[in-house]
Amino acid sequence: MQLKNRTLRRQLSLATCALLTGIPGQASSADWVVDAGVMSYSESDRVSAVKTIATGQRLTEETTISVTVLVDTLTGASPNGASAATTSQTFTTASGTAYTATEKETPLRDFEDTRTAISSSWEQVLNRLFRLKLGADISTEDDYDSLGLNASLSRDFNNRLTTVTVGAAITQDTITPSGGTPVERSATDGTTLAIQSKEEEKSTTDLLLGVTQILSRTTLTQLNYSYSLVDGYMSDPYKIVSEVDAVTGNTTGYRYEKRPDSRIRQSVNWTTAHHLTEDVVHFTYRYFWDDWGIDSHTFDLKYRYEIGAGHYLQPQVRYYMQSAADFYRHSLVDSEVLPNYLSSDQRLGEMSSYTIGLKYGFPVFTDGRLSLRIAYMQQSGDSSPSDAIGSQKQVDLFPTLEAMIVNVNFNIPF
Amino acid sequence: MKGQRLVLILLSSLLVGCAVDVKPWQRDQLAEQKMQLVTDPMEQSFDEHIYFSKEAASGGKGVGGGGCGCN
């Protein structure tokens, strides 16, 4: 009987939601909803991360209050930026620990970090047409702290077939690497470090304009334009760039990287959901560009296949490609004039990446949901660039990255 | 056939002005959880963090979310 009542309540609240808001919101008969998830991300021979998130949401007719707590633990090894070489290479961390990359091995620096973050938001229906959302985030890790505030306002138009959203966020970050930040572009033999400062800062302003449109009884689409201005320290204090001999290509030294202290990022994100009576297709395309010379395209397709009785399978394919930042260099020639900006971070290089995944979801308890997902990601670039010199032609200058992602999510209303 | 239909839907969704009127009582399917533009906020949070820390591009879906030193 209780089950019947709950089902009825749920149906009624769904109908109410559909009537009250043109753009359907998350319909639930519960006052409280708890979401919890655990994700494991592991790269072969490199970084392993475990992320745990729990979100509590209090829902009333006009207000949604949400609090999220997140803990990330990272361990493993990350590229230090130096190129692989035909000889072994030894480096020392700021804390004095030595590590060696053998012949033809990409130098990797061991690290571990824990990040704890809390974010909260308050969403309020202001009147028949307007909704306001305010949020705050705080995040802390060993060498990085971040504090952010965000707000967005939505208004329905056109018999609630159209919703326009404007949003803004400001984020203030503080970077405190162990041992301080190195003097950017300074030469190092891999073991010495000239300190530039103990602490650096970065501030970000994000603006968003979005339109959500109901196209039919079964199709919903959204187009967002985002503009983001970043000011401050954006170099990676742990990354260096190899300097090589102009003829032999052998490594002769290293330099700390330097990135510009300003960046304007823009993107257009288009996402569509379509209901095929039972199954649902989600498609997202994003075009991103910035004033560092990076352009990127992202395609993401998810197909939710209903097995029956609330069970579903959801295969996913994602493809990503980017061009290189203007100042990306796999290495420098030791006789050249030192460029104003330099980084060998592969994340700023030309590359492409794909992810394939499969998710299985099913109902638990009365109104709860549980899902399991496994995904594989591969990222690759030009391992043998045409400007490689001498011995550089024998090493991999853009090693392929592979990672497995496994996650489990619960959603339980009370 | 399904592929053609999908392409048609994707193209037509560019033409927002051509949308037909959908009465509030016809929005039952649109109100379902699986039709939300973000069906699983937790999964999105996991994914955005991975891609933010591995790729040069980020954002596009909304504002806020908090920074980290992973990029």
Side-chain angles (χ1 to χ4, degrees), chain A residues 166-178:
Chain A
V166 289
I170 47 168
T171 312
Q172 184 66 38
D173 296 350
T174 309
I175 304 111
T176 47
S178 61

Side-chain angles (χ1 to χ4, degrees), chain A residues 50 53 74 79 96 112 123 135 169 184 204 210 217 229 234 290 299 305 374 397 406:
Chain A
V50 176
I53 308 186
L74 291 112
E112 54 180 46
E123 195 170 357
E184 293 165 294
T204 307
R217 289 186 69 166
L229 173 66
M234 278 176 275
D290 69 9
F299 305 87
Y305 170 72
I374 184 158
L397 292 174
V406 179

Side-chain angles (χ1 to χ4, degrees), chain B residues 43-67:
Chain B
E43 183 180 299
Q44 176 169 312
S45 161
F46 285 140
D47 284 357
E48 283 190 348
H49 191 221
I50 291 172
Y51 298 126
F52 172 74
S53 61
K54 293 290 158 195
E55 296 169 353
S58 60
K61 293 204 168 86
V63 290

Side-chain angles (χ1 to χ4, degrees), chain A residues 155-266:
Chain A
R155 187 195 192 278
D156 296 334
F157 292 91
N158 190 19
N159 292 326
R160 295 203 173 90
L161 291 167
T162 309
T163 302
V164 175
T165 301
V166 289
I170 47 168
T171 312
Q172 184 66 38
D173 296 350
T174 309
I175 304 111
T176 47
S178 61
T181 59
V183 175
E184 293 165 294
R185 303 197 302 160
S186 67
T188 172
D189 57 5
T191 59
T192 54
L193 168 79
I195 303 297
Q196 177 169 286
S197 66
K198 284 195 164 169
E199 182 179 301
E200 295 283 350
E201 300 213 325
K202 179 171 88 177
S203 57
T204 307
T205 306
D206 294 301
L207 300 170
L208 177 131
L209 176 65
V211 179
T212 309
Q213 177 73 38
I214 292 177
L215 291 174
S216 71
R217 289 186 69 166
T218 53
T219 310
L220 186 61
T221 194
Q222 184 183 63
L223 194 63
N224 285 343
Y225 164 72
S226 303
Y227 176 93
S228 175
L229 173 66
V230 194
D231 251 313
Y233 184 83
M234 278 176 275
S235 300
D236 186 326
Y238 304 110
K239 289 231 188 303
I240 54 178
V241 183
S242 294
E243 283 187 308
V244 302
D245 183 87
V247 178
T248 63
N250 293 339
T251 302
T252 54
Y254 310 94
R255 289 210 175 250
Y256 281 98
E257 68 157 51
K258 181 178 184 181
R259 306 182 191 188
D261 59 5
S262 140
R263 186 180 184 193
I264 293 171
R265 301 183 293 211
Q266 296 179 80

Side-chain angles (χ1 to χ4, degrees), chain A residues 38-43 47-53 70 72-74 115 286 298 300 316 318 320 322 345-347 351 353-357 373-379 401-409, chain B residues 41-59 61 65-71:
Chain A
V38 181
M39 179 194 70
S40 147
Y41 168 90
S42 50
E43 297 173 357
V47 177
S48 287
V50 176
K51 192 186 190 73
T52 311
I53 308 186
L70 175 159
D72 252 342
T73 47
L74 291 112
R115 172 175 173 244
R286 179 185 65 189
T298 312
D300 190 294
Q316 178 198 2
R318 179 184 187 271
Y320 172 87
Q322 72 178 41
D345 191 334
Q346 292 190 1
R347 296 172 295 186
M351 54 102 161
S353 168
Y354 70 86
T355 306
I356 47 170
R373 180 177 65 145
I374 184 158
Y376 168 81
M377 181 182 90
Q378 189 185 87
Q379 195 180 78
L401 176 77
E402 294 178 290
M404 290 300 300
I405 301 154
V406 179
N407 72 280
V408 181
N409 294 350
Chain B
M42 199 140 285
E43 183 180 299
Q44 176 169 312
S45 161
F46 285 140
D47 284 357
E48 283 190 348
H49 191 221
I50 291 172
Y51 298 126
F52 172 74
S53 61
K54 293 290 158 195
E55 296 169 353
S58 60
K61 293 204 168 86
C68 78
C70 49
N71 193 350

